[in-house]
Amino acid sequence: MNALVLQSDFGYADGAVSAMYGVAETVCNELRVFDLTHDIPQYDIWEASYRLIQAVSYWPEGTVFVSVVDPGVGSTRRSIAVKTASGQYIITPDNGTLTHIKRMLGISEARIIDEAVNRLPNSGESYTFHGRDIYAYTGARLASGIISFEQVGPVVEVSSVIELPVVEPELTKDSVSGTIDVLDVRFGSLWTNIPRNDFLKLGIQHGEMAEVTITYHTRILYKYVMVYAKSFADVNVGEPLLYANSLDCMAIAINQGSFSKAYSIGTGISWRISLRKAPRLVYE
């Protein structure tokens, strides 16, 4: 029996998360159910996608994830289940939630959920809570071994799985640029899509200074120099730093402060960041 891991934008103010747990318990009372997060901002498919890539590969092969951030619930959007290249399963609306998994981890197989079979009994007239009626139910049945992945539904081309627009990082002779993909929410750090290996090609070593420029559309919101550090302890409290995050991409933070709040920085492909070696200033 495999673990079932739930993610949503439901929060805990009402009984939605508990209802999903109840469905899983009804399917199999020996099933182990865990939470990834239920604090995704409402309707934020991009963040749902990013939180999955943060966690999925660290769970054992066979683990089943259910992710429900579903502004199109009840529409013609597909309900889909995929098997990752490392052997985990994800059940979710096909609305872009699998963007980072598809690009960074890989999907080996995709199936459309057959709702005629994989739907909570006596829920046929409900069209607004697929997280409970379809995704949690199908996920629990798959994780507990009641159904196989093949019994989820018919195969579809992996290439047909919907992806959100992405801006690729760009490396030049003097700089590397990318987007601010997501925030380390609790601490206000900025997580970029710039791989550490691309940044290192600029020849910047730990302890050296980098120039950081952040723009929103065409407007420069931040331009300053900061140290490239191994960890937060390398700078004084209140000082900014550039570091490699847990996904081996570059990130910006303030030691014991919130960079995003201090400078009102957001996320998404309109938020661009550029890094280069700090220029030497010569005063006469």
Side-chain angles (χ1 to χ4, degrees):
M1 188 174 298
N2 296 301
L4 178 66
V5 184
L6 305 179
Q7 170 178 278
S8 75
D9 59 353
F10 296 160
Y12 292 98
D14 62 15
V17 173
S18 181
M20 293 173 70
Y21 266 83
V23 168
E25 179 77 7
T26 300
V27 168
C28 178
N29 60 15
E30 297 179 358
L31 187 62
R32 296 172 301 142
V33 185
F34 302 89
D35 294 318
L36 195 161
T37 180
H38 295 289
D39 289 326
I40 301 293
Q42 292 96 320
Y43 319 119
D44 195 334
I45 298 167
W46 178 269
E47 182 151 336
S49 174
Y50 207 96
R51 298 309 174 197
L52 284 173
I53 198 62
Q54 276 187 277
V56 167
S57 64
Y58 296 98
W59 284 79
E61 182 178 351
T63 301
V64 178
F65 290 80
V66 168
S67 180
V68 190
V69 177
D70 194 13
V73 63
S75 70
T76 58
R77 64 96 184 94
R78 302 187 301 183
S79 295
I80 198 166
V82 302
K83 183 177 182 180
T84 72
S86 52
Q88 300 86 4
Y89 300 98
I90 304 171
I91 293 173
T92 186
D94 185 23
N95 57 11
T97 295
L98 294 166
T99 298
H100 290 89
I101 292 293
K102 185 177 177 181
R103 294 173 60 84
M104 299 170 67
L105 184 59
I107 295 172
S108 63
E109 188 176 346
R111 293 179 176 271
I112 299 297
I113 296 175
D114 182 355
E115 297 180 16
V117 178
N118 294 301
R119 186 183 177 103
L120 183 68
N122 303 315
S123 66
E125 296 303 315
S126 173
Y127 301 101
T128 60
F129 200 174
H130 287 180
R132 176 196 65 194
D133 300 337
I134 298 171
Y135 304 136
Y137 181 71
T138 303
R141 281 158 57 84
L142 180 59
S144 62
I146 293 174
I147 60 171
S148 66
F149 185 57
E150 290 71 22
Q151 291 174 296
V152 167
V155 172
V156 294
E157 292 291 334
V158 171
S159 60
S160 74
V161 175
I162 291 175
E163 297 179 65
L164 299 172
V166 172
V167 174
E168 298 288 355
E170 182 178 355
L171 178 66
T172 67
K173 178 181 177 181
D174 300 316
S175 68
V176 62
S177 60
T179 57
I180 300 171
D181 272 1
V182 77
L183 302 180
D184 186 352
V185 178
R186 190 167 179 83
F187 300 102
S189 305
L190 315 181
W191 283 26
T192 80
N193 69 335
I194 299 173
R196 179 178 58 90
N197 286 338
D198 282 0
F199 171 76
L200 292 179
K201 292 175 183 177
L202 301 178
I204 304 174
Q205 305 296 319
H206 284 127
E208 295 183 340
M209 303 299 289
E211 182 183 83
V212 177
T213 303
I214 298 173
T215 61
Y216 180 61
H217 293 292
T218 59
R219 186 159 51 103
I220 296 177
L221 299 183
Y222 181 90
K223 187 172 186 178
Y224 201 63
V225 297
M226 63 184 69
V227 68
Y228 170 42
K230 286 184 178 180
S231 69
F232 290 76
D234 290 346
V235 301
N236 295 322
V237 173
E239 290 185 346
L241 67 148
L242 174 67
Y243 68 101
N245 66 17
S246 58
L247 293 180
D248 210 26
C249 288
M250 303 311 296
I252 309 294
I254 294 175
N255 187 13
Q256 297 187 34
S258 172
F259 197 101
S260 63
K261 289 182 179 179
Y263 298 101
S264 300
I265 306 298
T267 63
I269 60 175
S270 296
W271 290 87
R272 306 293 179 89
I273 183 167
S274 178
L275 310 174
R276 69 168 182 154
K277 197 163 190 174
R280 296 182 62 183
L281 300 178
V282 178
Y283 296 94
E284 295 183 354

